């Protein structure tokens, strides 16, 4: 099964502050190196972005993916470091200036994913979806359901952080 080698990424184990093992990629210290774009600009930092980027880029190479969409971009740590030729970022409020990164193959939509996918031409599809928006079951399911219209038989979805880290993250209305 060729897919197995594409998705198997071992999680390093480190000792956490409490002395116990830490098995989540978000908890692994990358030494503050961060990620950079192809032209050397800072694209984000932290092991969580690094972990996602490695996985997405490995999948992209294995699938010969050329069209990528990320729902829930925030500061762009993952998005800017993804090495796929056509990239689309969707977020209601970016934590960076999209004009600094926009080009003919990199698009930014500062709207809800519902609105973006609704207005998108029905023949527009993506090879890889990275869903990293609101981390509730209901909203994640909604992102997925809305994206199916813009998929093809080989589209792959990666869904990040579906298990809330605390009670506040689990709230359906974050206000």
């Amino acid at each position: 099964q060729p897919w197995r080698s594409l998705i198997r990424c071992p999680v390093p184990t480190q000792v956490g502050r409490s002395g116990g093992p830490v098995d989540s990629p978000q908890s692994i210290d990358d030494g503050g190196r961060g990620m950079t774009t192809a032209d050397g600009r800072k694209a984000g930092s932290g092991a969580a972005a690094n972990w996602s980027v490695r996985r997405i880029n490995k999948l992209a190479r294995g699938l010969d993916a050329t069209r990528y969409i990320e729902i829930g971009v925030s500061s762009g740590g993952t998005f800017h470091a993804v090495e796929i030729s056509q990239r689309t970022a969707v977020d209601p409020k970016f934590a960076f200036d999209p004009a600094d990164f926009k080009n003919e193959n990199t698009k930014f939509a500062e709207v809800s994913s519902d609105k973006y996918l609704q207005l998108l031409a029905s023949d527009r599809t993506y090879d890889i979806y990275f869903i990293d928006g609101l981390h509730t079951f209901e909203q994640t399911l909604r992102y997925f359901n809305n994206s199916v219209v813009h998929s093809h038989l080989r589209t792959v979805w990666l869904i990040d952080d579906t298990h809330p880290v605390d009670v506040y993250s689990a709230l359906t209305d974050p206000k």
Side-chain angles (χ1 to χ4, degrees), residues 9 18 50 58 84 130 140 143 150 159 162:
C9 292
S18 65
N50 191 6
K58 188 171 185 177
I84 298 176
F130 183 51
T140 301
Y143 295 140
H150 302 287
I159 299 174
T162 56

Side-chain angles (χ1 to χ4, degrees), residues 131-142:
I131 298 176
D132 191 18
L134 288 177
H135 302 281
T136 64
F137 170 79
E138 295 83 4
Q139 189 60 44
T140 301
L141 181 61
R142 189 168 165 170

Side-chain angles (χ1 to χ4, degrees), residues 6-168:
L6 291 176
I7 60 173
R8 191 178 311 137
C9 292
V11 178
T13 300
Q14 290 187 351
V15 176
R17 289 187 182 136
S18 65
V22 175
D23 288 324
S24 91
Q26 291 85 353
S27 302
I28 299 167
D29 181 15
D30 72 347
R33 291 182 297 279
M35 304 293 289
T36 57
T37 61
D39 60 3
R41 291 182 287 179
K42 185 171 174 57
S45 62
N50 191 6
W51 175 264
S52 296
V53 168
R54 286 192 320 240
R55 182 165 283 172
I56 292 165
N57 286 336
K58 188 171 185 177
L59 275 168
R61 285 188 299 274
L63 299 169
D64 292 323
T66 59
R67 294 178 312 268
Y68 170 79
I69 184 168
E70 186 170 321
I71 296 172
V73 177
S74 187
S75 63
T78 300
F79 182 79
H80 297 307
V82 168
E83 298 168 354
I84 298 176
S85 59
Q86 296 177 34
R87 300 175 304 156
T88 301
V90 181
D91 198 292
K93 182 68 177 148
F94 294 112
F96 60 93
D97 185 358
D100 292 342
F101 298 94
K102 190 175 181 180
N103 61 48
E104 68 273 358
N105 290 319
T106 305
K107 310 290 183 224
F108 295 91
E110 199 164 42
V111 297
S112 72
S113 64
D114 291 344
K115 181 82 131 176
Y116 178 78
L117 293 170
Q118 181 183 39
L119 297 174
L120 193 62
S122 61
D123 63 344
R124 177 64 171 162
T125 62
Y126 293 95
D127 301 318
I128 296 177
Y129 276 87
F130 183 51
I131 298 176
D132 191 18
L134 288 177
H135 302 281
T136 64
F137 170 79
E138 295 83 4
Q139 189 60 44
T140 301
L141 181 61
R142 189 168 165 170
Y143 295 140
F144 178 79
N145 288 340
N146 289 339
S147 69
V148 171
V149 174
H150 302 287
S151 66
H152 52 76
L153 293 175
R154 292 181 42 118
T155 296
V156 173
W157 286 263
L158 286 95
I159 299 174
D160 189 54
D161 297 335
T162 56
H163 181 63
V165 296
D166 57 36
V167 69
Y168 302 105

